[in-house]
Amino acid sequence: EVQKHLAEMIRKHWEGWVEDKIPALGGKTPKEAVTSADGREAVEALLKDAERDRGQDPIMVEANRRGARRARELLGLNNP
């Protein structure tokens, strides 16, 4: 039950993340940043970093990986 709740919280975080102003993106939202090649590269770097396993709980790692994949979908980064 707790794991399901945590996974849902992480999913919501990633869906909202695409609209959040991110300091590492110069204060732009990921949605704004992906409109340029440099911005897309920066967003991808942030998503790849989020997907890394840093010795976290396996459930957290997988939830963040699913969230990052969802963010890519929302941002249209899954298309070549």
Side-chain angles (χ1 to χ4, degrees):
E1 186 72 26
V2 172
Q3 291 174 349
K4 285 181 184 179
H5 180 70
L6 185 58
E8 179 64 15
M9 286 176 51
I10 292 170
R11 183 190 64 77
K12 286 180 181 179
H13 161 77
W14 282 107
E15 288 186 354
W17 181 82
V18 301
E19 299 287 348
D20 290 343
K21 292 187 183 294
I22 309 294
L25 298 175
K28 292 181 180 180
T29 69
K31 200 176 236 184
E32 294 168 332
V34 298
T35 61
S36 73
D38 287 343
R40 277 191 302 281
E41 186 177 328
V43 169
E44 268 298 339
L46 290 173
L47 291 170
K48 285 179 182 176
D49 186 58
E51 292 172 318
R52 288 195 175 95
D53 180 353
R54 294 185 183 86
Q56 298 167 308
D57 176 82
I59 293 166
M60 289 289 294
V61 171
E62 185 53 33
N64 276 313
R65 287 180 180 158
R66 280 193 309 268
R69 283 192 300 268
R70 178 66 179 136
R72 280 189 183 89
E73 289 173 15
L74 293 170
L75 295 169
L77 296 176
N78 289 335
N79 303 326

Coordinates of all heavy atoms in Angstrom, one line a residue:
E1 N 0.8 -1.2 0.0 CA 0.0 0.0 0.0 C 0.9 1.3 0.0 O 0.6 2.2 -0.8 CB -0.9 0.0 1.2 CG -1.9 1.1 1.3 CD -3.0 0.9 0.3 OE1 -3.3 -0.2 -0.1 OE2 -3.6 1.9 -0.1
V2 N 1.9 1.3 0.9 CA 2.8 2.4 0.9 C 3.5 2.6 -0.4 O 3.7 3.7 -0.9 CB 3.7 2.3 2.1 CG1 4.8 3.4 2.1 CG2 3.0 2.4 3.4
Q3 N 4.0 1.5 -0.9 CA 4.7 1.5 -2.2 C 3.9 2.1 -3.3 O 4.4 2.8 -4.1 CB 5.3 0.1 -2.5 CG 6.3 -0.3 -1.6 CD 6.8 -1.8 -1.8 OE1 6.1 -2.5 -2.6 NE2 7.8 -2.2 -1.2
K4 N 2.6 1.7 -3.4 CA 1.7 2.2 -4.4 C 1.6 3.7 -4.3 O 1.6 4.4 -5.3 CB 0.4 1.5 -4.3 CG 0.4 0.1 -4.9 CD -1.1 -0.5 -4.8 CE -1.1 -1.9 -5.2 NZ -2.4 -2.5 -5.1
H5 N 1.4 4.1 -3.0 CA 1.2 5.6 -2.8 C 2.5 6.3 -3.2 O 2.4 7.4 -3.8 CB 0.9 5.8 -1.3 CG 0.7 7.2 -1.0 ND1 -0.4 8.0 -1.4 CD2 1.5 8.1 -0.2 CE1 -0.3 9.2 -0.9 NE2 0.8 9.3 -0.2
L6 N 3.6 5.8 -2.8 CA 4.9 6.5 -3.2 C 5.1 6.5 -4.7 O 5.4 7.6 -5.2 CB 6.0 5.7 -2.5 CG 7.4 6.3 -2.7 CD1 7.5 7.7 -2.2 CD2 8.4 5.4 -2.0
A7 N 4.8 5.4 -5.4 CA 4.9 5.4 -6.8 C 3.9 6.4 -7.5 O 4.3 7.1 -8.4 CB 4.6 4.0 -7.4
E8 N 2.8 6.6 -6.9 CA 1.8 7.6 -7.4 C 2.3 9.0 -7.2 O 2.2 9.8 -8.1 CB 0.4 7.4 -6.8 CG -0.6 8.3 -7.2 CD -1.0 8.2 -8.7 OE1 -0.7 7.2 -9.3 OE2 -1.6 9.2 -9.2
M9 N 2.9 9.2 -6.1 CA 3.5 10.6 -5.8 C 4.6 10.9 -6.8 O 4.7 12.0 -7.3 CB 4.0 10.6 -4.4 CG 2.9 10.7 -3.3 SD 3.5 10.7 -1.6 CE 4.8 11.9 -1.6
I10 N 5.4 9.9 -7.0 CA 6.5 10.1 -8.0 C 6.0 10.4 -9.4 O 6.5 11.2 -10.1 CB 7.5 9.0 -7.9 CG1 8.2 9.0 -6.5 CG2 8.6 9.0 -9.0 CD1 9.1 7.7 -6.3
R11 N 5.0 9.6 -9.8 CA 4.4 9.8 -11.1 C 3.9 11.2 -11.2 O 4.1 11.9 -12.2 CB 3.3 8.8 -11.3 CG 2.6 8.9 -12.7 CD 1.4 8.1 -12.9 NE 0.3 8.6 -12.0 CZ -0.4 9.7 -12.3 NH1 -0.2 10.4 -13.3 NH2 -1.4 10.0 -11.4
K12 N 3.2 11.7 -10.2 CA 2.6 13.1 -10.3 C 3.7 14.1 -10.3 O 3.6 15.1 -11.0 CB 1.7 13.3 -9.1 CG 0.4 12.6 -9.2 CD -0.5 12.9 -8.0 CE -1.8 12.1 -8.1 NZ -2.7 12.4 -6.9
H13 N 4.8 13.8 -9.6 CA 6.0 14.7 -9.6 C 6.5 14.9 -11.0 O 6.7 16.0 -11.5 CB 7.1 14.2 -8.7 CG 8.4 14.8 -9.0 ND1 8.7 16.1 -8.6 CD2 9.5 14.4 -9.7 CE1 10.0 16.4 -9.1 NE2 10.4 15.4 -9.8
W14 N 6.7 13.8 -11.7 CA 7.3 13.8 -13.1 C 6.3 14.5 -14.1 O 6.7 15.2 -15.0 CB 7.7 12.5 -13.5 CG 9.0 12.1 -12.9 CD1 9.2 11.2 -11.9 CD2 10.3 12.7 -13.2 NE1 10.5 11.2 -11.6 CE2 11.2 12.1 -12.3 CE3 10.7 13.6 -14.1 CZ2 12.6 12.4 -12.3 CZ3 12.1 14.0 -14.1 CH2 13.0 13.3 -13.2
E15 N 5.0 14.2 -13.9 CA 4.1 14.9 -14.8 C 4.0 16.4 -14.6 O 3.9 17.1 -15.6 CB 2.7 14.2 -14.7 CG 2.7 12.8 -15.3 CD 1.3 12.2 -15.3 OE1 0.3 12.8 -14.8 OE2 1.2 11.1 -15.9
G16 N 4.2 16.8 -13.4 CA 4.3 18.3 -13.1 C 5.6 18.9 -13.4 O 5.7 20.1 -13.7
W17 N 6.6 18.1 -13.4 CA 8.0 18.5 -13.6 C 8.2 19.2 -14.9 O 8.9 20.2 -15.1 CB 9.0 17.3 -13.5 CG 10.4 17.7 -13.7 CD1 11.3 18.2 -12.7 CD2 11.2 17.5 -14.9 NE1 12.5 18.3 -13.3 CE2 12.5 17.9 -14.6 CE3 10.9 17.0 -16.2 CZ2 13.5 17.9 -15.5 CZ3 11.9 17.0 -17.1 CH2 13.2 17.4 -16.8
V18 N 7.5 18.7 -16.0 CA 7.6 19.3 -17.3 C 7.1 20.8 -17.3 O 7.5 21.5 -18.2 CB 6.9 18.5 -18.4 CG1 7.4 17.1 -18.4 CG2 5.4 18.5 -18.2
E19 N 6.4 21.2 -16.3 CA 5.9 22.6 -16.3 C 6.6 23.4 -15.2 O 6.3 24.6 -15.0 CB 4.4 22.6 -15.9 CG 3.5 21.9 -17.0 CD 3.3 22.7 -18.3 OE1 3.7 23.9 -18.3 OE2 2.9 22.1 -19.3
D20 N 7.5 22.8 -14.5 CA 8.2 23.5 -13.4 C 9.4 24.3 -14.0 O 10.1 23.8 -14.8 CB 8.8 22.5 -12.4 CG 7.7 21.9 -11.5 OD1 6.6 22.4 -11.5 OD2 8.0 20.8 -10.9
K21 N 9.6 25.5 -13.4 CA 10.8 26.2 -13.8 C 12.0 25.6 -13.1 O 12.0 25.4 -11.9 CB 10.7 27.7 -13.4 CG 9.6 28.4 -14.2 CD 9.6 29.9 -13.9 CE 8.5 30.6 -14.6 NZ 8.7 30.6 -16.0
I22 N 13.0 25.2 -13.9 CA 14.2 24.4 -13.4 C 15.4 25.3 -13.4 O 15.8 25.8 -14.5 CB 14.4 23.1 -14.2 CG1 13.1 22.3 -14.4 CG2 15.6 22.3 -13.7 CD1 12.6 21.7 -13.1
P23 N 16.1 25.6 -12.3 CA 17.3 26.4 -12.3 C 18.3 25.9 -13.3 O 19.0 26.7 -14.0 CB 17.7 26.3 -10.8 CG 16.5 26.1 -10.1 CD 15.7 25.2 -10.9
A24 N 18.5 24.6 -13.4 CA 19.5 24.0 -14.3 C 19.2 24.3 -15.7 O 20.1 24.2 -16.6 CB 19.7 22.5 -14.0
L25 N 18.0 24.7 -16.0 CA 17.6 25.0 -17.4 C 17.5 26.6 -17.6 O 16.8 27.1 -18.4 CB 16.2 24.4 -17.7 CG 16.2 22.9 -17.7 CD1 14.8 22.3 -17.9 CD2 17.2 22.3 -18.7
G26 N 18.2 27.3 -16.7 CA 18.1 28.8 -16.8 C 16.8 29.3 -16.4 O 16.4 30.4 -16.8
G27 N 16.1 28.6 -15.5 CA 14.8 29.1 -15.1 C 13.6 28.8 -16.0 O 12.5 29.2 -15.8
K28 N 13.9 28.1 -17.1 CA 12.9 27.7 -18.0 C 12.3 26.4 -17.5 O 12.8 25.6 -16.8 CB 13.5 27.4 -19.4 CG 14.0 28.6 -20.1 CD 14.5 28.3 -21.5 CE 15.0 29.5 -22.2 NZ 15.5 29.2 -23.5
T29 N 11.1 26.1 -18.1 CA 10.4 24.8 -17.8 C 11.0 23.8 -18.8 O 11.5 24.3 -19.9 CB 8.9 24.9 -18.0 OG1 8.6 25.1 -19.4 CG2 8.3 26.0 -17.1
P30 N 11.0 22.5 -18.5 CA 11.4 21.6 -19.5 C 10.6 21.7 -20.8 O 11.2 21.6 -21.9 CB 11.2 20.2 -18.9 CG 11.4 20.5 -17.4 CD 10.7 21.9 -17.2
K31 N 9.4 22.0 -20.7 CA 8.5 22.2 -21.9 C 9.0 23.4 -22.8 O 9.0 23.3 -24.0 CB 7.1 22.5 -21.5 CG 6.1 22.2 -22.6 CD 4.7 22.4 -22.0 CE 3.9 21.1 -22.3 NZ 2.5 21.3 -21.8
E32 N 9.5 24.5 -22.1 CA 10.1 25.6 -22.9 C 11.4 25.2 -23.4 O 11.8 25.6 -24.5 CB 10.2 26.8 -21.9 CG 8.9 27.4 -21.5 CD 9.0 28.4 -20.3 OE1 10.0 28.3 -19.6 OE2 8.1 29.3 -20.2
A33 N 12.2 24.5 -22.6 CA 13.6 24.3 -23.0 C 13.7 23.4 -24.2 O 14.6 23.5 -25.0 CB 14.3 23.6 -21.8
V34 N 12.8 22.4 -24.3 CA 12.9 21.4 -25.5 C 12.7 22.1 -26.8 O 12.8 21.4 -27.8 CB 12.1 20.2 -25.3 CG1 12.5 19.4 -24.0 CG2 10.6 20.5 -25.3
T35 N 12.4 23.3 -26.9 CA 12.1 24.0 -28.2 C 13.4 24.3 -28.9 O 13.4 24.7 -30.0 CB 11.2 25.3 -28.0 OG1 11.9 26.2 -27.2 CG2 9.9 24.9 -27.4
S36 N 14.5 24.2 -28.2 CA 15.8 24.4 -28.8 C 16.7 23.2 -28.7 O 16.5 22.3 -27.8 CB 16.6 25.6 -28.2 OG 17.1 25.2 -26.9
A37 N 17.7 23.0 -29.6 CA 18.6 21.8 -29.5 C 19.3 21.8 -28.2 O 19.4 20.7 -27.6 CB 19.5 21.8 -30.7
D38 N 19.9 22.9 -27.8 CA 20.6 22.9 -26.5 C 19.7 22.6 -25.3 O 20.1 21.9 -24.4 CB 21.3 24.3 -26.3 CG 22.5 24.6 -27.2 OD1 23.0 23.6 -27.8 OD2 22.9 25.7 -27.3
G39 N 18.5 23.1 -25.4 CA 17.5 22.9 -24.3 C 17.2 21.4 -24.2 O 17.1 20.8 -23.2
R40 N 16.9 20.8 -25.4 CA 16.6 19.3 -25.4 C 17.8 18.5 -24.8 O 17.5 17.6 -24.1 CB 16.3 18.9 -26.9 CG 14.9 19.1 -27.4 CD 14.6 18.4 -28.7 NE 15.5 18.8 -29.7 CZ 15.4 19.9 -30.5 NH1 14.5 20.8 -30.2 NH2 16.3 20.2 -31.4
E41 N 19.0 18.9 -25.2 CA 20.1 18.2 -24.7 C 20.2 18.3 -23.1 O 20.5 17.4 -22.4 CB 21.4 18.8 -25.3 CG 22.7 18.0 -24.9 CD 23.9 18.6 -25.7 OE1 23.8 19.0 -26.8 OE2 25.0 18.5 -25.0
A42 N 19.9 19.5 -22.6 CA 20.0 19.8 -21.2 C 18.9 19.0 -20.5 O 19.1 18.4 -19.4 CB 19.8 21.2 -20.9
V43 N 17.7 18.9 -21.1 CA 16.6 18.2 -20.5 C 16.9 16.7 -20.5 O 16.7 16.0 -19.4 CB 15.2 18.5 -21.2 CG1 14.1 17.5 -20.8 CG2 14.8 19.9 -20.9
E44 N 17.4 16.2 -21.6 CA 17.8 14.8 -21.6 C 18.8 14.4 -20.6 O 18.8 13.4 -19.9 CB 18.3 14.4 -23.0 CG 17.3 13.9 -24.0 CD 16.6 12.6 -23.5 OE1 17.2 11.8 -22.7 OE2 15.5 12.4 -24.0
A45 N 19.8 15.3 -20.4 CA 20.8 15.1 -19.3 C 20.2 15.0 -17.9 O 20.6 14.2 -17.2 CB 21.9 16.2 -19.4
L46 N 19.2 15.9 -17.7 CA 18.6 15.8 -16.4 C 17.8 14.5 -16.2 O 17.8 13.9 -15.1 CB 17.6 17.0 -16.2 CG 18.3 18.4 -16.0 CD1 17.3 19.5 -16.1 CD2 19.1 18.4 -14.8
L47 N 17.1 14.1 -17.3 CA 16.3 12.9 -17.2 C 17.2 11.7 -17.0 O 16.9 10.8 -16.2 CB 15.4 12.8 -18.4 CG 14.3 13.8 -18.5 CD1 13.6 13.7 -19.9 CD2 13.3 13.5 -17.4
K48 N 18.3 11.6 -17.8 CA 19.2 10.5 -17.6 C 19.8 10.5 -16.2 O 20.0 9.4 -15.6 CB 20.4 10.6 -18.7 CG 19.9 10.2 -20.0 CD 21.0 10.4 -21.0 CE 20.5 10.1 -22.4 NZ 21.5 10.3 -23.5
D49 N 20.1 11.6 -15.7 CA 20.6 11.7 -14.3 C 19.6 11.1 -13.3 O 19.9 10.4 -12.4 CB 21.0 13.1 -13.9 CG 21.7 13.2 -12.6 OD1 22.7 12.5 -12.4 OD2 21.2 13.9 -11.7
A50 N 18.3 11.5 -13.5 CA 17.3 11.0 -12.6 C 17.1 9.5 -12.7 O 16.6 8.9 -11.8 CB 16.0 11.7 -13.0
E51 N 17.4 8.9 -13.8 CA 17.2 7.5 -14.0 C 18.4 6.6 -13.4 O 18.3 5.4 -13.4 CB 17.1 7.1 -15.5 CG 15.9 7.7 -16.2 CD 15.8 7.5 -17.6 OE1 16.9 7.8 -18.3 OE2 14.8 7.1 -18.2
R52 N 19.4 7.3 -13.0 CA 20.6 6.5 -12.5 C 20.3 5.9 -11.1 O 19.6 6.5 -10.3 CB 21.8 7.5 -12.3 CG 22.4 7.8 -13.7 CD 23.8 8.4 -13.5 NE 24.3 8.7 -14.8 CZ 24.3 9.8 -15.4 NH1 23.7 10.9 -14.9 NH2 24.8 10.0 -16.6
D53 N 20.8 4.7 -10.9 CA 20.6 4.0 -9.7 C 21.8 4.4 -8.8 O 22.9 4.1 -9.0 CB 20.6 2.5 -9.9 CG 20.5 1.7 -8.6 OD1 20.5 2.3 -7.5 OD2 20.3 0.5 -8.8
R54 N 21.5 5.1 -7.7 CA 22.5 5.6 -6.8 C 22.4 4.8 -5.5 O 22.5 5.4 -4.4 CB 22.3 7.1 -6.5 CG 22.6 7.9 -7.8 CD 22.6 9.4 -7.4 NE 22.7 10.2 -8.5 CZ 21.8 10.6 -9.4 NH1 20.5 10.2 -9.1 NH2 22.0 11.3 -10.4
G55 N 22.1 3.6 -5.6 CA 21.9 2.8 -4.4 C 20.6 3.0 -3.7 O 20.5 2.7 -2.5
Q56 N 19.7 3.6 -4.4 CA 18.4 3.9 -3.8 C 17.6 2.6 -3.7 O 18.0 1.5 -4.3 CB 17.6 4.8 -4.7 CG 18.2 6.2 -4.9 CD 17.5 6.9 -6.0 OE1 17.3 6.4 -7.1 NE2 17.0 8.1 -5.7
D57 N 16.5 2.6 -3.0 CA 15.6 1.5 -2.9 C 15.2 1.2 -4.4 O 14.8 2.1 -5.2 CB 14.4 2.0 -2.1 CG 13.3 0.9 -2.1 OD1 13.4 0.0 -1.2 OD2 12.3 1.0 -2.9
P58 N 15.1 -0.1 -4.7 CA 14.8 -0.5 -6.1 C 13.4 0.0 -6.6 O 13.2 0.3 -7.7 CB 14.8 -2.0 -6.1 CG 15.6 -2.4 -4.9 CD 15.5 -1.3 -3.9
I59 N 12.5 0.1 -5.7 CA 11.2 0.6 -6.0 C 11.2 2.1 -6.4 O 10.6 2.5 -7.4 CB 10.2 0.4 -4.9 CG1 10.0 -1.1 -4.7 CG2 8.9 1.1 -5.1 CD1 9.3 -1.5 -3.4
M60 N 12.1 2.9 -5.7 CA 12.2 4.3 -6.0 C 12.9 4.4 -7.4 O 12.6 5.3 -8.2 CB 13.1 5.0 -4.9 CG 12.4 5.2 -3.6 SD 11.1 6.4 -3.8 CE 12.1 7.9 -4.1
V61 N 14.0 3.6 -7.6 CA 14.7 3.7 -8.8 C 13.7 3.4 -10.0 O 13.7 4.2 -11.0 CB 15.9 2.6 -8.9 CG1 16.5 2.5 -10.2 CG2 16.9 3.0 -7.8
E62 N 12.9 2.4 -9.9 CA 12.0 2.0 -11.0 C 11.0 3.1 -11.2 O 10.6 3.5 -12.3 CB 11.4 0.7 -10.8 CG 10.5 0.2 -11.9 CD 11.2 0.2 -13.3 OE1 12.4 0.0 -13.4 OE2 10.5 0.5 -14.3
A63 N 10.4 3.6 -10.1 CA 9.4 4.7 -10.2 C 10.0 5.9 -10.9 O 9.3 6.5 -11.7 CB 8.9 5.0 -8.8
N64 N 11.2 6.3 -10.6 CA 11.9 7.4 -11.2 C 12.1 7.2 -12.7 O 12.0 8.0 -13.5 CB 13.1 7.9 -10.5 CG 12.9 8.8 -9.3 OD1 12.1 9.7 -9.5 ND2 13.4 8.5 -8.2
R65 N 12.5 5.9 -13.0 CA 12.7 5.6 -14.4 C 11.4 5.7 -15.2 O 11.4 6.2 -16.3 CB 13.3 4.2 -14.5 CG 14.8 4.2 -14.1 CD 15.4 2.8 -14.2 NE 16.8 2.9 -13.8 CZ 17.5 1.9 -13.4 NH1 17.0 0.7 -13.4 NH2 18.8 2.1 -13.1
R66 N 10.3 5.2 -14.6 CA 9.0 5.3 -15.3 C 8.6 6.7 -15.4 O 8.1 7.2 -16.4 CB 8.0 4.5 -14.5 CG 8.0 3.0 -14.7 CD 6.7 2.3 -14.2 NE 6.4 2.6 -12.8 CZ 6.8 1.9 -11.8 NH1 7.6 0.8 -11.9 NH2 6.5 2.3 -10.5
G67 N 8.9 7.5 -14.3 CA 8.5 8.9 -14.4 C 9.3 9.7 -15.4 O 8.7 10.5 -16.2
A68 N 10.6 9.4 -15.6 CA 11.4 10.1 -16.6 C 10.9 9.7 -18.0 O 10.9 10.5 -18.9 CB 12.9 9.7 -16.4
R69 N 10.5 8.4 -18.2 CA 10.0 8.0 -19.5 C 8.7 8.7 -19.8 O 8.5 9.2 -20.9 CB 9.7 6.5 -19.5 CG 11.0 5.6 -19.7 CD 10.7 4.2 -20.0 NE 10.0 3.5 -19.0 CZ 10.5 2.8 -18.0 NH1 11.8 2.7 -17.8 NH2 9.7 2.2 -17.1
R70 N 7.9 8.9 -18.8 CA 6.6 9.6 -18.9 C 6.9 11.1 -19.3 O 6.2 11.7 -20.2 CB 5.7 9.5 -17.7 CG 4.5 10.3 -17.7 CD 3.5 9.7 -18.8 NE 2.3 10.5 -18.8 CZ 1.6 10.9 -19.9 NH1 2.1 10.5 -21.1 NH2 0.6 11.6 -19.8
A71 N 7.9 11.7 -18.6 CA 8.2 13.1 -18.9 C 8.7 13.2 -20.4 O 8.3 14.1 -21.1 CB 9.3 13.6 -18.0
R72 N 9.5 12.2 -20.8 CA 9.9 12.2 -22.2 C 8.7 12.2 -23.2 O 8.7 12.9 -24.2 CB 10.8 11.0 -22.5 CG 12.2 11.2 -22.1 CD 13.1 10.1 -22.6 NE 14.5 10.3 -22.1 CZ 14.9 9.8 -20.9 NH1 14.1 9.1 -20.2 NH2 16.1 10.0 -20.5
E73 N 7.8 11.3 -22.8 CA 6.5 11.3 -23.7 C 5.8 12.6 -23.7 O 5.4 13.1 -24.8 CB 5.6 10.2 -23.1 CG 6.0 8.8 -23.3 CD 5.1 7.8 -22.5 OE1 4.0 8.2 -22.1 OE2 5.5 6.7 -22.3
L74 N 5.6 13.2 -22.6 CA 4.9 14.5 -22.5 C 5.7 15.6 -23.3 O 5.0 16.5 -23.8 CB 4.7 14.9 -21.0 CG 3.8 14.0 -20.2 CD1 3.9 14.4 -18.7 CD2 2.4 14.2 -20.7
L75 N 7.0 15.5 -23.3 CA 7.8 16.5 -24.0 C 8.1 16.2 -25.4 O 8.7 16.9 -26.1 CB 9.1 16.7 -23.2 CG 9.0 17.2 -21.8 CD1 10.3 17.1 -21.1 CD2 8.5 18.7 -21.8
G76 N 7.6 15.0 -25.9 CA 7.9 14.6 -27.3 C 9.3 14.2 -27.6 O 9.7 14.3 -28.7
L77 N 10.0 13.8 -26.6 CA 11.4 13.4 -26.7 C 11.6 11.9 -27.2 O 12.7 11.5 -27.4 CB 12.2 13.7 -25.5 CG 12.3 15.1 -25.0 CD1 13.0 15.2 -23.7 CD2 13.0 15.9 -26.1
N78 N 10.5 11.2 -27.2 CA 10.6 9.8 -27.7 C 10.7 9.7 -29.2 O 11.1 8.6 -29.7 CB 9.5 9.0 -27.1 CG 9.6 8.8 -25.6 OD1 10.7 8.9 -25.1 ND2 8.5 8.6 -25.0
N79 N 10.4 10.7 -29.9 CA 10.4 10.7 -31.3 C 11.8 11.1 -31.8 O 12.3 12.1 -31.3 CB 9.3 11.6 -31.9 CG 8.0 11.2 -31.4 OD1 7.7 10.0 -31.2 ND2 7.1 12.2 -31.2
P80 N 12.3 10.5 -32.9 CA 13.6 10.8 -33.4 C 13.6 12.2 -34.0 O 12.7 12.8 -34.4 CB 14.0 9.8 -34.4 CG 12.8 8.9 -34.6 CD 11.8 9.3 -33.5

